[in-house]
């Protein structure tokens, strides 16, 4: 089952798949089928399956390969399930992960940052090192 495109936080990736970005502080009105949570510490339990990537606030994932594998899995699942990606505030780490999904769909890192700020939130991707991580991500794992 897919997300409703008009739902808060739902974006259409450049390749056409729908995913939802969300602050973990925002109440869940429609439950996802699965989640990818980007936190420094293990996230609280959910009623749906989820994957956790160790990714401290305002920082980078502690294991880039694990982050890439989790993003590829989320993208694959989004083809047939409602997948959400979330962090504490839903902007920095979530925006960076959404931009990485756009890179996997073929955008370069600068275009992915512009896309996520237009499609998701104008303040998505908090830090210069998150933008630098996206440049490395695009070089290391091109679409």
């Amino acid at each position: 089952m897919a997300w409703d495109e008009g739902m808060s936080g739902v974006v259409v990736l450049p390749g056409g798949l729908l995913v939802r970005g969300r602050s973990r502080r925002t109440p869940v009105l429609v439950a996802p089928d699965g989640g990818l949570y980007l936190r420094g510490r293990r996230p609280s339990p959910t009623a749906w399956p989820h994957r956790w990537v160790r990714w401290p606030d305002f920082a980078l994932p502690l294991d880039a390969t694990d982050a890439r594998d989790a993003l590829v899995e989320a993208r694959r699942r989004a083809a047939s399930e409602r997948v959400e990606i979330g962090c504490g505030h839903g902007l920095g780490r979530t925006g960076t992960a959404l931009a990485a999904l756009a890179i996997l769909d073929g955008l370069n890192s600068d275009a992915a940052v512009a896309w996520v700020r237009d499609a998701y939130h104008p303040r998505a991707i908090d830090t210069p090192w998150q933008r630098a991580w996206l440049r490395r991500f695009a070089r290391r794992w091109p679409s």
Side-chain angles (χ1 to χ4, degrees):
M1 177 180 293
W3 292 110
D4 174 2
E5 282 187 48
M7 185 176 289
S8 177
V10 173
V11 295
V12 180
L13 294 171
L17 297 175
L18 277 69
V19 295
R20 178 173 73 184
R22 182 174 73 86
S23 162
R24 293 276 292 161
R25 294 176 173 96
T26 304
V28 176
L29 301 177
V30 177
D33 298 315
L36 171 57
Y37 301 117
L38 317 167
R39 307 281 304 204
R41 288 184 288 190
R42 184 173 302 282
S44 56
T46 61
W48 50 87
H50 67 273
R51 183 164 174 178
W52 168 47
V53 171
R54 289 195 67 165
W55 193 331
D57 201 8
F58 296 104
L60 303 174
L62 298 182
D63 182 332
T65 301
D66 180 52
R68 190 253 183 206
D69 291 348
L71 289 161
V72 167
E73 177 186 347
R75 185 170 166 248
R76 179 189 54 77
R77 293 183 69 186
S80 61
E81 301 175 22
R82 288 186 308 234
V83 173
E84 76 173 9
I85 298 175
C87 65
H89 290 285
L91 294 176
R93 294 166 287 179
T94 298
T96 302
L98 291 172
L101 290 175
I103 289 167
L104 291 173
D105 275 356
L107 296 185
N108 67 44
S109 61
D110 290 337
V113 170
W115 170 81
V116 79
R117 288 181 172 167
D118 181 57
Y120 177 64
H121 196 284
R123 292 183 315 164
I125 307 168
D126 289 328
T127 67
W129 42 92
Q130 288 170 338
R131 289 189 296 278
W133 184 82
L134 288 167
R135 286 190 294 276
R136 288 191 305 276
F137 184 92
R139 283 193 306 270
R140 187 170 179 188
W141 295 296
S143 60

